[in-house]
Amino acid sequence: MVYKSAIAHIITRVLLILLTILSGAYLLFKLNVILGPVLLLGILILQVFELIKYNQRTNEKITRFLESIQYADFTSSFTHDSQLGGSYRQLNQAFNKVMDEFKKTRAEKEEQVLFLRIIIQHINIGIISYSTTGKIGLVNNAAKHLLQITQFKDIHDLKKISPEFLEQILSLKTGEDLSTKINGSLHLNVRCTELKMGGKQWFLLSFQDISAALKQQELDAWQNLTKVLRHEIMNSITPIATLVNSLQTILEEDVYIKDGKHIILDDGFEDLQEGLQTISGRSRGLVGFVNAYRDYTSIPKPEKSHFSVQALFEDISTLLKESLEQNHIQLISEIIPQELCIHADREQILMILINLVKNAREALEKSDNKVVQLKAGRTMSNHPFIQVVDFGPGIQPASLENIFVPFFTTKNQGSGIGLAISRQIMNMHRGNLEVNSVPNKETVFTLRFES
């Protein structure tokens, strides 16, 4: 409506100018009147001036309106009435409506930003955002409290805590986690996210104190380990103590002195020999248990490198080919994408997979579907994974939650340490080892990696 009214106003002025020109030409060339055309020339000049003024006024209003939007100055207002006609009044009203909508939208956004800032300041997780130049964009009170830094202007201020901590933070990639100990009482879990705002690249860090959770986990682990140690040691010590008492009784009842020499009866000698053999066997078992515990608690730190999963699977197939063929078990590999690589300690991952494939081979001894699958790929979050799948009897739900507990085993000859060590290795890789088993259908062990 405003546009049509303005067009009509301009057309009217242009028509009046044309009418004035034609009238002047008629008076001058047809009637030879000079005074009339001179007067009409003055009127023509005024009409042209008014048309220019009209357009200039419109341009000024539009320019002021656009500049107000450009600089987010929504305090400007446009007069509802105008000496230049009703079209200007309508134009002013339209501008004011747009300005009011912008004011309303900005007020709502400011409220939302204020609300989010209040939330960020109230949460217990530390939040820090910084640009590629290191400039801090946002830091909440929880981050200042956890890091004990009151004035935080640049990410390099983390150097006050320790240069190593700053280096770890700057090396974090989007989606990665960092678990680090700041001091004797503070253990932080740090996560990094990368985002773009206003054409600039920003990094968002979240800091969470996991000291309490780790202490509880440590306490639970020690309690579980104590139970296992007590159970295993008692299983070895109790029969040894009983046998020692029995052997003492044999020595008292079946040994007599003749001619100054100790003589033992044949039955007593056999019982004594059998008892000593039993003590020897239990002692070897206890020594084996201690060695297994030593292996579990002295896993070397991973030496990571990039390696091909396909080459890894080929090594496993070569190493276990003979034992798998003897049990008529087929090993199938599937890698998507085929060129998939993993950043990890190759020898440690190889050890885990060999252990898992051996377990699968033992599980398939009485199964009709003698197939073990090695699968590798990437998750929806682009993290690599490796799976070992078998179609044996599976793991019963009652045992499923305990199979990673050190020295827990469902096998007659098992030590119960292999899966515990495997999960420990994956934890040291900042990954995880998981199991999903459906009895008499399939069992899937999954190695998940962070990168």
Side-chain angles (χ1 to χ4, degrees), residues 395-402 408:
I395 305 170
Q396 297 301 317
S399 302
L400 199 60
E401 61 182 20
N402 294 317
F408 175 86

Side-chain angles (χ1 to χ4, degrees), residues 235-288:
N235 283 348
S236 297
I237 295 299
T238 300
I240 290 176
T242 303
L243 279 172
V244 169
N245 290 332
S246 298
L247 294 178
Q248 182 68 32
T249 302
I250 290 172
L251 290 174
E252 291 175 356
E253 295 180 353
D254 293 349
V255 176
Y256 61 94
I257 300 175
K258 183 179 180 181
D259 298 332
K261 297 181 179 179
H262 290 81
I263 308 297
I264 185 171
L265 299 177
D266 292 341
D267 291 341
F269 177 79
E270 292 176 359
D271 291 340
L272 186 62
Q273 188 178 38
E274 183 180 351
L276 289 173
Q277 289 176 348
T278 302
I279 291 174
S280 177
R282 293 307 301 167
S283 298
R284 287 196 300 271
L286 188 57
V287 170

Side-chain angles (χ1 to χ4, degrees), residues 8-27:
H9 201 85
I10 292 173
I11 290 174
T12 301
R13 288 176 179 269
V14 171
L15 290 175
L16 288 174
I17 290 173
L18 289 175
L19 181 61
T20 303
I21 292 173
L22 292 174
S23 299
Y26 178 79
L27 291 174

Side-chain angles (χ1 to χ4, degrees), residues 365-430:
E365 286 182 354
K366 298 180 180 179
S367 176
D368 295 330
N369 190 1
K370 293 182 177 294
V371 175
V372 176
Q373 293 181 344
L374 286 174
K375 296 183 178 180
R378 289 188 175 276
T379 63
M380 295 296 291
S381 56
N382 205 34
H383 291 161
F385 69 88
I386 296 177
Q387 291 181 328
V388 179
V389 185
D390 73 74
F391 306 96
I395 305 170
Q396 297 301 317
S399 302
L400 199 60
E401 61 182 20
N402 294 317
I403 62 172
F404 294 109
V405 175
F407 311 110
F408 175 86
T409 181
T410 57
K411 305 175 186 177
N412 294 329
Q413 302 298 326
S415 65
I417 196 66
L419 290 177
I421 290 178
S422 297
R423 172 168 275 189
Q424 181 74 352
I425 290 173
M426 289 304 299
N427 289 340
M428 293 172 68
H429 279 78
R430 292 187 1 204

Side-chain angles (χ1 to χ4, degrees), residues 47 50 113 129 206 221 354 412 441:
Q47 288 176 333
E50 285 295 325
V113 171
S129 67
S206 63
I354 289 175
N412 294 329
K441 187 175 181 181

Side-chain angles (χ1 to χ4, degrees), residues 70-326:
Q70 180 182 358
Y71 299 108
D73 179 15
F74 305 127
T75 59
S76 301
S77 62
F78 297 85
T79 311
H80 282 242
D81 55 353
S82 174
Q83 297 177 354
L84 297 178
S87 61
Y88 266 99
R89 286 194 297 271
Q90 294 175 4
L91 183 64
N92 291 335
Q93 291 172 3
F95 282 162
N96 286 330
K97 286 181 180 179
V98 174
M99 297 295 284
D100 289 340
E101 287 299 321
F102 272 113
K103 287 179 184 178
K104 183 179 178 182
T105 302
R106 187 175 71 169
E108 291 175 353
K109 288 187 176 181
E110 288 178 349
E111 289 176 357
Q112 292 175 357
V113 171
L114 180 60
F115 181 67
L116 289 175
R117 285 185 177 274
I118 292 174
I119 291 177
I120 290 173
Q121 293 298 334
H122 275 75
I123 59 176
N124 293 326
I125 298 176
I127 300 292
I128 294 176
S129 67
Y130 69 97
S131 65
T132 52
T133 61
K135 181 182 178 182
I136 296 295
L138 172 69
V139 55
N140 67 349
N141 293 329
K144 294 179 181 179
H145 175 72
L146 287 173
L147 301 175
Q148 296 296 307
I149 299 178
T150 54
Q151 297 295 328
F152 217 158
K153 295 183 179 180
D154 193 279
I155 193 65
H156 295 89
D157 290 340
L158 291 177
K159 193 174 182 180
K160 298 175 182 177
I161 299 175
S162 75
E164 293 79 10
F165 181 58
L166 173 61
E167 185 178 350
Q168 289 176 327
I169 292 296
L170 295 178
S171 64
L172 272 179
K173 297 180 181 178
T174 183
E176 287 187 345
D177 288 329
L178 168 67
S179 181
T180 182
K181 200 168 186 179
I182 301 300
N183 52 49
S185 61
L186 181 61
H187 198 124
L188 291 180
N189 185 71
V190 187
R191 188 170 184 83
C192 177
T193 302
E194 187 177 345
L195 63 154
K196 284 188 176 181
M197 293 188 302
K200 294 182 178 180
Q201 189 177 17
W202 290 83
F203 297 93
L204 183 66
L205 300 174
S206 63
F207 299 82
Q208 188 172 10
D209 184 7
I210 57 174
S211 302
L214 288 176
K215 287 179 181 178
Q216 185 60 46
Q217 290 181 357
E218 184 180 357
L219 178 61
D220 293 341
W222 275 111
Q223 290 176 343
N224 291 332
L225 183 58
T226 301
K227 291 178 182 178
V228 172
L229 291 172
R230 184 177 68 245
H231 175 75
E232 190 66 26
I233 292 173
M234 290 302 295
N235 283 348
S236 297
I237 295 299
T238 300
I240 290 176
T242 303
L243 279 172
V244 169
N245 290 332
S246 298
L247 294 178
Q248 182 68 32
T249 302
I250 290 172
L251 290 174
E252 291 175 356
E253 295 180 353
D254 293 349
V255 176
Y256 61 94
I257 300 175
K258 183 179 180 181
D259 298 332
K261 297 181 179 179
H262 290 81
I263 308 297
I264 185 171
L265 299 177
D266 292 341
D267 291 341
F269 177 79
E270 292 176 359
D271 291 340
L272 186 62
Q273 188 178 38
E274 183 180 351
L276 289 173
Q277 289 176 348
T278 302
I279 291 174
S280 177
R282 293 307 301 167
S283 298
R284 287 196 300 271
L286 188 57
V287 170
F289 169 79
V290 173
N291 288 334
Y293 173 75
R294 180 191 60 193
D295 293 339
Y296 176 71
T297 56
S298 59
I299 301 173
K301 184 178 179 181
E303 296 182 4
K304 295 183 180 181
S305 63
H306 287 281
F307 58 88
S308 166
V309 175
Q310 183 177 2
L312 180 70
F313 283 5
E314 289 174 355
D315 286 352
I316 294 170
S317 179
T318 302
L319 291 169
L320 300 179
K321 180 179 180 181
E322 184 176 349
S323 63
L324 292 174
E325 288 180 349
Q326 289 176 354

